Amino acid sequence: MLFWSCCAPSEDPNQLRFEISTDENLPSKLFDDPPSVIPTLLMSQPGGKAAGVAQVPKLKQLAAEDEDLGKDQPTVFTPISAVAGRKCTLLSARTGTRTAAEYAVDADLLQLTVQATGSSERPEVLHRCPLMHIEDIYIVEDGEDCFPPGIIELLTPEEKDGLFMIVHSVDDPNADVAHLCLVEASRSDRDNLLEHLRDVTCS
């Protein structure tokens, strides 16, 4: 069985790290060492730049709107709030946009689902991430160069602490890995979510 071990201490107390333990009978591991270059669809575009990156004043306005949308959710992450759904911001390097969204963790299906927020009875599903397909998770403490070009520019300075990126494989064996960039309300909420994902995967 593949599983994440407890977070290992590091020289930098602010950096979240995962160590991987594997059963000797399995040939692969869930999380590899961070690659020096992260493959993204954006790299195939001219200049590797995200189109339409918003300016700082516009970012602050969008961040304020996202905050308003999330006022009705618990201020502190809990596993129960992850099941019910938590407001977040979805970032797209391909389009250079940020979208107010909601993620939920299904422990039975071992899946994280991100959907659009709104009054629709059937919200649009924006992204599905099977937890067992996760290859790596990056946070801003790992270095801003770990994220696709244009992602950091979509954030206000205050939002960087809540940023994380999940790299996971997809069903098509010929396709590149997918990159899911989300922003939680705070660093502690982000860290608690990542710990919860590890616990769910290990159970």
Side-chain angles (χ1 to χ4, degrees):
M1 176 180 182
L2 295 174
F3 61 94
W4 298 341
S5 67
C6 295
C7 296
S10 63
E11 295 181 358
D12 184 353
N14 293 321
Q15 183 172 2
L16 181 66
R17 292 185 179 180
F18 292 100
E19 291 185 349
I20 311 306
S21 299
T22 63
D23 188 288
E24 61 184 1
N25 295 323
L26 292 179
S28 61
K29 59 183 179 178
L30 186 60
F31 292 95
D32 298 321
D33 293 333
S36 58
V37 178
I38 299 178
T40 66
L41 293 176
L42 193 63
M43 291 182 178
S44 65
Q45 303 301 317
K49 299 294 184 179
V53 174
Q55 299 301 315
V56 172
K58 181 62 175 179
L59 287 178
K60 291 185 178 296
Q61 176 185 345
L62 293 172
E65 293 173 355
D66 293 347
E67 182 178 356
D68 289 338
L69 289 173
K71 284 182 177 179
D72 57 346
Q73 80 170 1
T75 56
V76 177
F77 175 91
T78 64
I80 294 178
S81 69
V83 173
R86 287 184 59 85
K87 298 295 190 299
C88 64
T89 301
L90 173 66
L91 306 178
S92 171
R94 182 177 62 83
T95 62
T97 57
R98 45 185 293 152
T99 303
E102 179 178 280
Y103 73 81
V105 179
D106 190 320
D108 294 325
L109 296 178
L110 290 178
Q111 182 171 261
L112 183 150
T113 302
V114 182
Q115 61 185 28
T117 56
S119 58
S120 173
E121 294 182 0
R122 286 185 148 184
E124 177 187 2
V125 174
L126 303 175
H127 198 106
R128 284 192 177 93
C129 171
L131 300 186
M132 297 306 295
H133 288 189
I134 294 176
E135 297 185 0
D136 220 329
I137 297 178
Y138 294 93
I139 57 178
V140 72
E141 288 89 338
D142 294 323
E144 295 184 359
D145 57 342
C146 291
F147 293 84
I151 286 294
I152 299 299
E153 287 75 13
L154 292 173
L155 299 170
T156 64
E158 296 79 9
E159 292 176 309
K160 290 184 180 181
D161 284 346
L163 173 66
F164 63 97
M165 178 175 69
I166 297 177
V167 181
H168 67 89
S169 60
V170 296
D171 292 334
D172 184 354
N174 297 318
D176 291 334
V177 294
H179 298 79
L180 173 61
C181 295
L182 296 176
V183 182
E184 247 288 5
S186 67
R187 177 182 297 182
S188 61
D189 289 327
R190 177 204 67 188
D191 292 350
N192 288 334
L193 166 62
L194 299 186
E195 182 177 357
H196 177 59
L197 293 180
R198 182 200 63 185
D199 292 343
V200 169
T201 306
C202 295
S203 62

